[in-house]
Amino acid sequence: DAKTTQPPSMDCAEGRAANLPCNHSTISGNEYVYWYRQIHSQGPQYIIHGLKNNETNEMASLIITEDRKSSTLILPHATLRDTAVYYCIVRGGTVGGNTPLVFGKGTRLSVIA
Amino acid sequence: EADIYQTPRYLVIGTGKKITLECSQTMGHDKMYWYQQDPGMELHLIHYSYGVNSTEKGDLSSESTVSRIRTEHFPLTLESARPSHTSQYLCATSRDPSTDTQYFGPGTRLTVL
């Protein structure tokens, strides 16, 4: 699976959009981009995933560049409860695929009042 | 979302004891996973299962063992606990066979004295 590169930490003002970048320059055609987050001492929480097109759900938006070598997770109106470690993961998505997700170090997002 | 239960949530035990950490889910997901995470550190996959009677070792070597006799249960056992086993253990399940979106339980925080 392609490796990802994320900044170790970021700050964001409460109420502003949080834009978390992720580089995955070696991604291949069948690999999905996943985002999870982990709030202190809890299990990770799935946020969103995508293959080529931009995706949006009730939690966030995922913007994937046209060449798919990078992506950005957007939290449109960050709150204090969004303070967490955010993981960007790339994994092949073949039907019945057998490669588990591999979590890296992630980005520690601090939302500041 | 999956309902995933882990018991106990906290366990303090002496060296040499045998322990079993329980993980159960009510959604009928085939794939289940065990991760180990030290405070402030990365998640490491230690075991996973694709279904009943299937178990695989993860990328982090572990002295623990797992079994998958029933779809709902994926217990993890340490035959002889040591202080080096002190960590948080997180169980997860996966619903979608192609994209492997994972849902995590609340975790078990183990302390071995």
Side-chain angles (χ1 to χ4, degrees):
Chain A
D1 291 339
K3 291 187 177 180
T4 62
T5 304
Q6 298 178 255
S9 63
M10 290 181 63
D11 292 338
C12 177
E14 188 179 20
R16 305 296 294 268
N19 298 295
L20 292 99
C22 180
N23 287 324
H24 30 80
S25 59
T26 60
I27 193 171
S28 60
N30 71 338
E31 288 182 317
Y32 287 80
V33 180
Y34 297 80
W35 284 85
Y36 284 74
R37 74 179 182 183
Q38 187 174 23
I39 297 171
H40 178 64
S41 77
Q42 298 180 19
Q45 176 189 24
Y46 165 80
I47 302 172
I48 199 167
H49 74 277
L51 184 63
K52 294 179 183 178
N53 301 320
N54 297 337
E55 302 287 344
T56 295
N57 63 20
E58 64 278 5
M59 289 182 68
S61 294
L62 174 60
I63 308 298
I64 302 174
T65 58
E66 192 169 342
D67 63 9
R68 302 210 322 123
K69 293 185 177 182
S70 65
S71 61
T72 301
L73 179 76
I74 300 172
L75 308 178
H77 304 287
T79 70
L80 298 177
R81 285 179 290 185
D82 292 322
T83 293
V85 177
Y86 286 78
Y87 299 98
C88 170
I89 303 164
V90 169
R91 177 192 171 269
T94 55
V95 174
N98 294 333
T99 307
L101 297 174
V102 176
F103 292 79
K105 296 185 189 301
T107 295
R108 183 173 298 278
L109 175 68
S110 298
V111 180
I112 302 166
Chain B
E1 287 192 14
D3 291 325
I4 306 167
Y5 306 96
Q6 290 188 243
T7 57
R9 293 290 311 279
Y10 302 91
L11 179 62
V12 180
I13 202 163
T15 297
K17 300 290 187 182
K18 177 180 179 179
I19 58 171
T20 297
L21 307 184
E22 300 287 350
C23 177
S24 61
Q25 50 111 350
T26 60
M27 298 302 288
H29 292 180
D30 283 330
K31 292 186 178 181
M32 296 187 73
Y33 309 85
W34 276 104
Y35 291 85
Q36 184 175 345
Q37 185 178 36
D38 293 333
M41 305 297 285
E42 298 175 48
L43 283 113
H44 291 288
L45 179 69
I46 51 175
H47 297 284
Y48 57 102
S49 167
Y50 294 127
V52 172
N53 295 325
S54 155
T55 61
E56 304 285 343
K57 289 188 180 295
D59 54 294
L60 179 68
S61 174
S62 174
E63 295 167 344
S64 58
T65 59
V66 292
S67 62
R68 191 84 184 278
I69 299 172
R70 292 163 53 185
T71 298
E72 302 82 27
H73 294 146
F74 190 39
L76 181 145
T77 299
L78 280 164
E79 290 293 333
S80 180
R82 294 207 299 269
S84 60
H85 297 139
T86 295
S87 190
Q88 184 177 35
Y89 294 84
L90 289 154
C91 179
T93 73
S94 175
R95 171 183 63 192
D96 188 325
S98 63
T99 62
D100 200 34
T101 304
Q102 294 186 12
Y103 301 90
F104 282 79
T108 293
R109 192 170 296 278
L110 172 66
T111 301
V112 183
L113 303 175

